[in-house]
Amino acid sequence: MGTVLEMSKFMLMVLVAASGLTACTALQPKSPPLSEFVRPLSNTLLTVGIPTRGAEATLVLVARNQGVETWATGDNVTVSMQNGVVVATRGLGFDVMGSDVGPTLNALAGRQAGSYVVKRRYLTPDNQPEPVAATCTMGRSANGQFIEDCQSDGVSFQNQYALDGTGRVASSKQWIGPEVQYLNTSYSTAQ
């Protein structure tokens, strides 16, 4: 088995066999939930609500990478956040594939005045990344919450952020997209 042609035939046989196994295992139970494989990284919990779906779940911290924390439910839905601002989602449908939240974080820290652009990426039905930009401004409400007003392609939305004493977002209402609409988030400590 030394020639490229022989190796290609071998790889094709492996792929055909693997696809047959996949078809056979389709009747098997689903893989175990994430919670059976991952130990939470802290005793902090993230509660996420989706008002349009009447859904709420408690997530645990499962990963940290370059300032981004990934929180997961037991059934593998994840929300990735940077300092409490949503960067990406998985498992919700119509997920945010990635976001540049730097301008929002700068506005929350008082380092950004005036309008700024927040960029997100979504997948099109043919699995192509589609960038979407929103022009936003940050203000404060009478109760001290930060209010981010945004416009994008004829859609207006308003994010709300309450900060804790360290400047981290403690609770929020954040726009994900036209299908999911808003996520409500809040942190708590596990008992």
Side-chain angles (χ1 to χ4, degrees):
M1 226 205 255
T3 71
V4 172
L5 181 58
E6 289 172 334
M7 291 176 72
S8 295
K9 286 180 184 176
F10 175 74
M11 289 304 294
L12 181 60
M13 290 179 355
V14 168
L15 288 173
V16 168
S19 67
L21 287 174
T22 302
C24 291
T25 59
L27 299 176
Q28 300 297 320
K30 286 180 144 181
S31 60
L34 181 67
S35 59
E36 292 186 25
F37 298 107
V38 177
R39 175 170 282 140
L41 297 179
S42 79
N43 66 342
T44 301
L45 302 174
L46 176 67
T47 301
V48 174
I50 306 173
T52 57
R53 296 182 181 171
E56 187 173 275
T58 301
L59 290 72
V60 296
L61 181 62
V62 295
R64 284 188 180 109
N65 185 13
Q66 297 180 354
V68 175
E69 297 179 333
T70 299
W71 300 80
T73 64
D75 59 351
N76 306 328
V77 173
T78 64
V79 176
S80 297
M81 304 176 87
Q82 185 172 353
N83 203 27
V85 178
V86 175
V87 174
T89 63
R90 297 292 184 274
L92 298 177
F94 304 100
D95 287 305
V96 176
M97 302 312 292
S99 300
D100 174 13
V101 298
T104 296
L105 293 171
N106 285 335
L108 288 169
R111 295 187 299 263
Q112 174 76 49
S115 66
Y116 50 92
V117 176
V118 174
K119 297 177 184 174
R120 288 192 170 146
R121 290 176 307 287
Y122 298 91
L123 281 185
T124 63
D126 60 345
N127 284 332
Q128 298 301 312
E130 179 181 355
V132 175
T135 302
C136 304
T137 58
M138 188 72 73
R140 296 212 52 180
S141 68
N143 66 0
Q145 282 194 344
F146 286 86
I147 306 296
E148 184 179 45
D149 287 305
C150 300
Q151 296 272 336
S152 175
D153 295 328
V155 176
S156 297
F157 55 93
Q158 187 179 78
N159 297 322
Q160 300 172 5
Y161 305 96
L163 305 185
D164 66 14
T166 68
R168 178 186 174 124
V169 174
S171 63
S172 70
K173 176 183 175 184
Q174 298 183 55
W175 177 260
I176 299 304
E179 292 81 7
V180 175
Q181 296 186 17
Y182 290 96
L183 289 186
N184 295 329
T185 68
S186 63
Y187 293 94
S188 62
T189 303
Q191 301 291 321

